[in-house]
Amino acid sequence: MQIVSTTESSSPADAPEDGSVQAVYPPSPEFVAQANAGPELYEHADADRLKFWATQARRLDWDTDFDQVLDWPDAPFAKWFVGGKLNVAANCVDRHVAAGKGDRVAIHWVGEPGDSRDITYSQLLDEVSRAANYFTSIGLEAGDRVAIYMPMVPEAIVTMLSCARLGLTHSVVFAGFSATALRSRVDDAQAKLVVTTDGQFRREKPAPLKAAVDEALGTGDDAAESVEHVLVVRRTNHDPDMNWVEGRDVWWDDTVAESSPKHEYEAFDSEHPLFLLYTSGTTGKPKGIVHTSGGYLTQTSYTFHYVFDHKEGRDVFWCGADIGWVTGHSYLVYGPLSNGATEIIYEGTPNSPNEHRHFEVIEKYGVTTYYIAPTLIRTFMKWGRTIPDSHDLSSLRLLGSVGEPINPEAWRWYRDVIGHNRCPIVDTWWQTETGSAMISPLPGVTATKPGSAMAPLPGISANIVDDDGNKVAPGEQGYLVLDQPWPSMLRGIWGDDERFKDTYWSRFAEQGWYFAGDGARYDEDGALWVLGRIDDVMNVSGHRISTAEVESALVGHHAVAEAAVIGATDATTGQGIVAFVILREGIDTDHETLISEMKSHVSVDISPIAKPREINIVPELPKTRSGKIMRRLLRDVAEGNELGDTSTLVDPTVFEAIRSQRS
Ligand code: ATP
Ligand code: MG
């Protein structure tokens, strides 16, 4: 596609005078002048993709150089940077210290109750070395698995890096998950060590966490047999009933903290497994996605530099994801730290103690680059602009979005209210499986459109195809596929090669393409729009309509803060569109009037075919702990079925409220 590079201004003065909304946002000349990326990146990648990736791999320090960029005859099992050896942790920490940047702050950690710590690269090196020495002392060896079940405390990142340093494969399990979820992941990976905290802060109150580990690991005949040790970081100091298993459980303070801060690292093969991460389970049983070292670090490092236009020593980066998700792995740990970045790690929720928290952090630390999910942007919209407006957000210079399609209304609000119409927005499409950002604008190069992830990044090749694998025409929906391997691609599903081939490579087996499971379309200008999971495409009287588009239209109505749309079985139309909406603060029009307004709004905005059969105004939407709407459960509600598996929901009680609104 054509990537528009232009020096036109994109100030608010550019907005169309007829009152219609601006459709394209070219980069400002000021941003272009200082951008890391230029149009030549695409040219280099197009001219010789493997050479391009070899150049990106040279961003890292290799102890032994690689002699082949890609090995793909055994597809879909890829090997990148074959023959190369490196240490991932040394690339994220040691080399910055060696280059004289040891005093630079790596992590501004902001605790939930108001405590904070600044950790320099030198201090990080000490901590990582201590943990590595302790892990070695308890007999852990390269290839062993370590489960990490921790809130957002610095020790979680120290643990991840220490694992990387020793060639241990970490498996981070989100600390909001249940004991059952932890146990199934510990068993699947046969983890030898579990690292946790005594407790975690939830809305200013300490809640036990180790208790869930005890429950997960069981006792006697039911005990998780792989686990030898549980390492406990003291965080809340507030669980008087805490259980302690002698011989198994140890305090971080008594062990890691007492270990030597000197550790010699060893280099590992480029394909050495770095981590397992179980997908969030929006669609089914979580899969243990396997990522390896050289290729993963190359692409996270490369994308961090260009997509976030990172300026070493100047920027303060903040990714709002939890380390329990892939975004936390790639853009809280490996991407930023391999680039020597200074970043924020925030422990709590955006509204503890109140809705000002994120903006206070931005103001206090001078955050320049802010990367969050659309669900949070829509939450901010719901809270209203007076909150961000009461803070100085002038340090911000780039905004990012990830996790779901971002509806144009939320995109514009983000750009206007948070970014003051100055900051480019990068809407980054990627997955746990892809390891790093894949489809995204390049700031300073791409003229962006609200709601579109625009184009594959240089070095990445994607396509949108129909059932037979033919490229779809502009405007038509198709399947998003990745038709060339990429360095940070998943190397498999832990212990299940068949499921790996089946899930991702069987749909377009003949062509050898990766099937992402998402629907997408091109617009007339060739920009790429991701429409969400193909399971989320409805069929109404033979018309294929994406839930994301109807949701976008609904959020475009002034009263709506957030919307979830599903296709419920309908005797006459096949599927009927059922919507669940949350209102913005301070809307007091009666619901009947609002609902009829919303219906005609969708009808005008998309087409009468897309008009919802039913709209329910509800107080909350069911979400996974990563903030994604669980549409399959809403479908159960709309169809009057028993609810399916609710184990990954944040708050299963939302259904009582939703059901009572419908009756
Ligand atoms: P599971 O695969 O277990 O059902 P999941 O797909 O939600 O869970 P993730 O890997 O965290 O787990 O999310 C990747 C998915 O999120 C993508 O496939 C896509 O549907 C959606 N997504 C992520 N970023 C974007 C984006 N910028 N635009 C549109 N969709 C996005
Ligand atoms: Mg997925």
Side-chain angles (χ1 to χ4, degrees):
M1 72 166 279
Q2 177 123 40
I3 305 296
V4 196
S5 176
T6 166
T7 49
E8 277 170 53
S9 155
S10 63
S11 66
D14 268 7
E17 278 170 19
D18 61 4
S20 66
V21 287
Q22 191 174 338
V24 182
Y25 293 76
S28 70
E30 299 76 35
F31 202 97
V32 173
Q34 60 82 64
N36 290 351
E40 72 287 349
L41 265 192
Y42 293 97
E43 287 155 27
H44 293 162
D46 288 347
D48 188 340
R49 234 170 53 82
L50 294 185
K51 188 172 157 207
F52 174 82
W53 282 119
T55 307
Q56 299 313 323
R58 305 264 180 249
R59 305 174 53 78
L60 308 178
D61 282 358
W62 295 81
D63 293 81
T64 307
D65 201 5
F66 50 89
D67 39 46
Q68 189 188 350
V69 177
L70 169 67
D71 178 279
W72 189 233
D74 191 24
F77 298 93
K79 292 197 183 84
W80 280 88
F81 310 117
V82 184
K85 287 188 172 191
L86 80 173
N87 187 289
V88 168
N91 270 284
C92 291
V93 188
D94 302 46
R95 64 168 172 157
H96 307 311
V97 177
K101 302 167 190 167
D103 292 338
R104 179 184 299 165
V105 172
I107 296 172
H108 289 295
W109 176 76
V110 182
E112 213 252 19
D115 48 344
S116 64
R117 274 170 72 185
D118 290 338
I119 302 168
T120 64
Y121 275 95
S122 292
Q123 290 166 334
L124 191 59
L125 177 58
D126 286 358
E127 299 276 309
V128 170
S129 301
R130 285 183 207 275
N133 282 321
Y134 174 66
F135 292 169
T136 306
S137 78
I138 56 171
L140 293 175
E141 287 174 4
D144 288 344
R145 272 84 55 205
V146 173
I148 301 176
Y149 185 63
M150 300 170 90
M152 294 275 284
V153 291
E155 290 83 356
I157 292 174
V158 169
T159 303
M160 291 167 79
L161 291 168
S162 310
C163 287
R165 192 174 187 90
L166 296 173
L168 306 170
T169 302
H170 59 70
S171 162
V172 180
V173 180
F174 176 56
F177 276 148
S178 66
T180 319
L182 173 61
R183 174 63 181 265
S184 69
R185 286 158 174 78
V186 164
D187 283 349
D188 189 61
Q190 289 291 292
K192 284 194 178 170
L193 171 69
V194 179
V195 188
T196 189
T197 58
D198 55 347
Q200 60 181 333
F201 289 101
R202 285 254 183 101
R203 308 214 180 279
E204 295 155 272
K205 288 202 183 67
L209 188 63
K210 171 154 187 302
V213 176
D214 290 321
E215 188 190 334
L217 299 185
T219 51
D221 287 351
D222 178 45
E225 25 84 39
S226 65
V227 176
E228 294 167 3
H229 291 286
V230 175
L231 174 60
V232 189
V233 173
R234 210 183 291 277
R235 173 61 185 129
T236 52
N237 225 350
H238 192 278
D239 184 6
D241 305 321
M242 195 166 71
N243 175 47
W244 199 256
V245 179
E246 285 307 328
R248 186 196 73 179
D249 298 352
V250 289
W251 285 110
W252 180 283
D253 287 345
D254 299 340
T255 55
V256 175
E258 298 293 319
S259 300
S260 158
K262 296 277 169 266
H263 181 267
E264 291 280 324
Y265 74 83
E266 178 193 333
F268 293 97
D269 191 88
S270 178
E271 284 300 331
H272 189 81
L274 178 63
F275 66 87
L276 306 181
L277 183 62
Y278 292 80
T279 57
S280 63
T282 318
T283 46
K285 179 177 174 282
K287 306 169 275 277
I289 303 300
V290 181
H291 282 289
T292 62
S293 304
Y296 172 80
L297 197 64
T298 295
Q299 196 177 330
T300 50
S301 190
Y302 151 74
T303 50
F304 183 78
H305 177 77
Y306 287 110
V307 173
F308 297 111
D309 191 53
H310 175 245
K311 300 290 191 281
E312 219 186 319
R314 277 188 12 226
D315 276 338
V316 178
F317 178 76
W318 186 7
C319 163
D322 190 279
I323 46 154
W325 316 122
V326 72
T327 309
H329 283 59
S330 302
Y331 299 108
L332 269 179
V333 184
Y334 296 109
L337 298 178
S338 64
N339 280 284
T342 297
E343 63 173 341
I344 307 287
I345 303 286
Y346 172 53
E347 187 187 32
T349 54
N351 54 352
S352 42
N354 58 48
E355 290 85 356
H356 290 265
R357 191 62 184 268
H358 267 230
F359 308 112
E360 282 164 5
V361 171
I362 292 173
E363 209 170 1
K364 171 165 179 199
Y365 291 96
V367 171
T368 58
T369 320
Y370 184 53
Y371 187 38
I372 57 173
T375 178
L376 183 56
I377 299 167
R378 292 189 297 261
T379 301
F380 289 153
M381 288 170 77
K382 189 172 82 176
W383 291 343
R385 71 173 294 159
T386 49
I387 294 169
D389 280 351
S390 64
H391 296 274
D392 176 6
L393 304 181
S394 61
S395 58
L396 289 172
R397 63 177 202 90
L398 182 82
L399 302 173
S401 170
V402 62
E404 278 186 292
I406 176 167
N407 40 295
E409 181 76 11
W411 193 103
R412 289 198 167 87
W413 190 92
Y414 195 29
R415 176 164 166 115
D416 175 26
V417 178
I418 309 297
H420 295 170
N421 275 309
R422 275 183 300 107
C423 307
I425 296 180
V426 289
D427 173 11
T428 59
W429 176 88
W430 58 295
Q431 311 177 297
T432 308
E433 294 87 343
T434 69
S436 327
M438 301 290 284
I439 302 176
S440 164
L442 273 184
V445 182
T446 314
T448 51
K449 297 186 178 190
S452 168
M454 299 307 296
L457 287 167
I460 300 300
S461 184
N463 202 355
I464 307 173
V465 299
D466 64 15
D467 282 301
D468 303 322
N470 303 311
K471 183 172 183 150
V472 296
E476 268 168 35
Q477 284 185 28
Y479 306 108
L480 181 61
V481 297
L482 301 168
D483 54 7
Q484 294 289 341
W486 63 101
S488 67
M489 67 195 290
L490 76 169
R491 300 303 196 264
I493 294 178
W494 184 252
D496 202 343
D497 287 351
E498 281 317 302
R499 194 176 176 201
F500 170 58
K501 288 191 236 170
D502 214 58
T503 310
Y504 305 107
W505 304 94
S506 64
R507 184 70 186 72
F508 295 102
E510 219 172 285
Q511 299 89 338
W513 296 338
Y514 172 88
F515 173 61
D518 282 344
R521 63 175 163 74
Y522 297 109
D523 67 17
E524 295 297 333
D525 304 322
L528 193 155
W529 296 69
V530 179
L531 302 167
R533 291 184 179 67
I534 46 169
D535 317 350
D536 293 338
V537 173
M538 303 171 288
N539 192 327
V540 183
S541 306
H543 299 273
R544 288 158 60 82
I545 299 168
S546 99
T547 52
E549 278 179 311
V550 180
E551 287 165 5
S552 256
L554 283 167
V555 176
H557 183 279
H558 70 93
V560 179
E562 188 149 30
V565 164
I566 54 109
T569 311
D570 186 294
T572 45
T573 56
Q575 283 188 319
I577 302 179
V578 178
F580 299 83
V581 301
I582 305 180
L583 298 183
R584 290 202 195 193
E585 297 287 93
I587 301 290
D588 47 16
T589 320
D590 75 279
H591 287 191
E592 216 173 302
T593 313
L594 280 177
I595 288 172
S596 92
E597 267 180 38
M598 290 174 200
K599 286 188 180 175
S600 36
H601 182 79
V602 176
S603 193
V604 173
D605 208 41
I606 308 177
S607 111
I609 300 158
K611 183 161 106 179
R613 176 184 84 184
E614 178 184 326
I615 296 181
N616 302 283
I617 295 176
V618 295
E620 274 310 327
L621 292 171
K623 288 189 183 160
T624 63
R625 298 193 182 262
S626 54
K628 300 187 191 196
I629 298 166
M630 292 278 254
R631 292 188 185 75
R632 69 177 162 82
L633 296 178
L634 286 171
R635 200 172 306 127
D636 290 340
V637 172
E639 295 179 347
N641 302 331
E642 286 267 318
L643 287 188
D645 181 11
T646 56
S647 64
T648 55
L649 271 185
V650 180
D651 176 13
T653 62
V654 294
F655 286 102
E656 286 154 34
I658 292 176
R659 282 217 169 94
S660 73
Q661 295 290 326
R662 297 186 79 240
S663 52

